[in-house]
């Protein structure tokens, strides 16, 4: 059974940083591209970032480029998102999701339950 | 990358069929057969309902079907049931190797 467990969210001041983690199990982690998708309170889904199975190809939405960094440790079956220079508009539930392709984020077949990031003074 | 355009809400009576549209551009929906659809109930994570325009994952009811014409994709729910009441989002792979979601559609079962 595929399981994705996000952690690392919390309350942070504007300009602050967090490191989100997603522990994966139940599938061959290194053969899947992975993504972070966020959802602001009461709003729709927004794709944030993706990374190939090897970790060599990161992709970002324009809204987070230069502030967020995606990475993965295939030896630990864990996906990360380093979020810096946080703004109020980054407040959201952050989901990790799998993509059944080694190289590109084509669609999202399994999702975690999400971790909440709140940016507020 | 602009969000794909979906109607804000669609409603239908039990047993009826409804269709949700998802309009993009030739750089996303129209350029690739990687349109997918997600169902999200309140307080839950999204669930994949359709991938690669027309394919259903194992376990998803055959009441859900997808199609595409030009820059517009569609999700049809036939035999509408109470549990189909949820938010639905389309998504597409894009020419910049990123991904974009639709604006979302609230489905109400009358």
């Amino acid at each position: 059974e595929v399981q994705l467990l996000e952690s690392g969210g919390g309350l942070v001041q504007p300009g602050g940083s967090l490191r989100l983690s997603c522990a994966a199990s139940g599938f061959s982690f290194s053969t899947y591209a992975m993504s972070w998708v966020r959802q602001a309170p009461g709003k729709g889904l927004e794709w944030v970032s993706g990374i190939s199975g090897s970790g060599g190809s990161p992709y970002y939405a324009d809204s987070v480029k230069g502030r967020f960094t995606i990475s993965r440790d295939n030896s630990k079956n864990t996906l990360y998102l380093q979020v810096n220079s946080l703004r109020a508009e980054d407040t959201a539930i952050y989901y990790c999701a799998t993509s059944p392709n080694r190289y590109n984020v084509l669609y999202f077949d399994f999702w975690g339950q999400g971790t909440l990031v709140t940016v507020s003074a | 990358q602009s969000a794909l355009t979906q109607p804000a809400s669609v409603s239908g009576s039990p047993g009826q069929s409804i269709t949700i549209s998802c309009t993009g551009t030739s750089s996303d929906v129209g350029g690739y057969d990687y349109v997918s659809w997600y169902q999200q109930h309140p307080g839950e994570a999204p669930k994949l309902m359709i991938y690669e325009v027309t394919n259903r994952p194992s376990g998803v009811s055959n009441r859900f079907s997808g199609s595409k014409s030009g820059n517009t994709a569609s999700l049809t729910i036939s035999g509408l049931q109470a549990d189909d009441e949820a938010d639905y989002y389309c998504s597409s792979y894009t020419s910049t190797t990123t991904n974009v979601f639709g604006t979302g559609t609230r489905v109400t079962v009358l």
Side-chain angles (χ1 to χ4, degrees), chain B residues 13-73:
Chain B
S13 299
Q16 288 186 330
S17 294
I18 62 169
T19 297
I20 303 168
S21 61
C22 169
T23 301
T25 69
S26 59
S27 295
D28 38 64
V29 174
Y32 304 91
D33 285 336
Y34 291 115
V35 176
S36 50
W37 290 89
Y38 304 86
Q39 177 192 65
Q40 187 180 33
H41 286 111
E44 296 184 5
K47 175 187 175 183
L48 177 66
M49 303 302 284
I50 295 288
Y51 66 97
E52 294 176 357
V53 180
T54 62
N55 296 315
R56 278 187 311 276
S58 174
V60 172
S61 171
N62 59 8
R63 298 185 299 105
F64 292 84
S65 61
S67 63
K68 190 183 85 167
S69 177
N71 295 337
T72 297

Side-chain angles (χ1 to χ4, degrees), chain A residues 37 39 43-47 59-62 95 101 104-114, chain B residues 1 34 36 38 40 43-48 51-52 89 91-93 97-103:
Chain A
V37 176
Q39 186 170 35
K43 303 297 184 181
L45 300 174
E46 180 188 15
W47 178 82
Y59 314 104
Y60 300 98
D62 289 343
Y95 296 99
N101 179 280
N104 294 307
V105 177
L106 303 178
Y107 58 90
F108 314 98
D109 53 352
F110 293 101
W111 298 65
Q113 286 304 303
Chain B
Q1 184 70 42
Y34 291 115
S36 50
Y38 304 86
Q40 187 180 33
E44 296 184 5
K47 175 187 175 183
L48 177 66
Y51 66 97
E52 294 176 357
Y89 297 90
S91 180
S92 176
Y93 181 71
T97 67
T98 58
N99 201 286
V100 61
F101 282 95
T103 50

Side-chain angles (χ1 to χ4, degrees), chain A residues 10-113:
Chain A
L11 175 63
V12 61
Q13 293 187 337
S17 299
L18 283 174
R19 189 195 200 197
L20 309 183
S21 299
C22 172
S25 61
F27 64 103
S28 181
F29 184 67
S30 64
T31 65
Y32 278 64
M34 297 291 295
S35 281
W36 290 97
V37 176
R38 70 183 179 183
Q39 186 170 35
K43 303 297 184 181
L45 300 174
E46 180 188 15
W47 178 82
V48 171
S49 181
I51 191 167
S52 62
S54 68
S57 301
Y59 314 104
Y60 300 98
D62 289 343
S63 58
V64 306
K65 202 173 294 184
R67 299 188 301 123
F68 290 11
T69 302
I70 191 171
S71 62
R72 62 192 296 161
D73 185 337
N74 288 344
S75 68
K76 296 181 178 180
N77 287 356
T78 302
L79 175 73
Y80 302 102
L81 187 69
Q82 179 68 39
V83 296
N84 298 331
S85 303
L86 283 164
R87 308 165 180 167
E89 54 265 36
D90 296 317
T91 294
I93 296 172
Y94 285 72
Y95 296 99
C96 70
T98 63
S99 294
N101 179 280
R102 189 184 292 268
Y103 304 107
N104 294 307
V105 177
L106 303 178
Y107 58 90
F108 314 98
D109 53 352
F110 293 101
W111 298 65
Q113 286 304 303

